[in-house]
Amino acid sequence: LPMMFVRSYRTKDMLRRRCQDCYVIWRYGRMYIECPKFARHKTVSKMTKEKGWGWFDWRLAPKLERTK
């Protein structure tokens, strides 16, 4: 059987689309660049150095209702 190569994400500070087929996805407060044409274009933004939930962007989370 031939060995299948799976390319993982590169981590970078500044992300940009490298071709017309690249598109942006936001997951868990991080920005991902996906490309169906060239697997080497897959990149992800770096995480912050805070521990715990510091990487989570609370603006993307569902709003919690306040109870009185």
Side-chain angles (χ1 to χ4, degrees):
L1 294 172
M3 184 174 176
M4 299 299 291
F5 292 101
V6 178
R7 193 175 285 270
S8 61
Y9 292 93
R10 296 181 188 186
T11 55
K12 292 192 175 186
D13 291 330
M14 191 91 163
L15 300 184
R16 63 184 176 93
R17 294 187 303 167
R18 296 176 64 187
C19 69
Q20 289 183 340
D21 296 326
C22 292
Y23 59 95
V24 176
I25 298 177
W26 282 90
R27 287 189 210 133
Y28 307 108
R30 297 177 76 180
M31 190 166 82
Y32 288 80
I33 303 288
E34 293 278 343
C35 186
K37 193 172 183 182
F38 299 106
R40 65 177 177 260
H41 291 179
K42 290 168 54 172
T43 52
V44 63
S45 61
K46 287 188 177 180
M47 292 180 92
T48 60
K49 293 185 180 180
E50 299 175 10
K51 292 184 179 178
W53 287 93
W55 60 270
F56 190 76
D57 191 357
W58 292 102
R59 292 174 292 180
L60 299 176
K63 292 188 178 182
L64 301 175
E65 294 181 16
R66 294 185 185 185
T67 57
K68 292 185 179 180

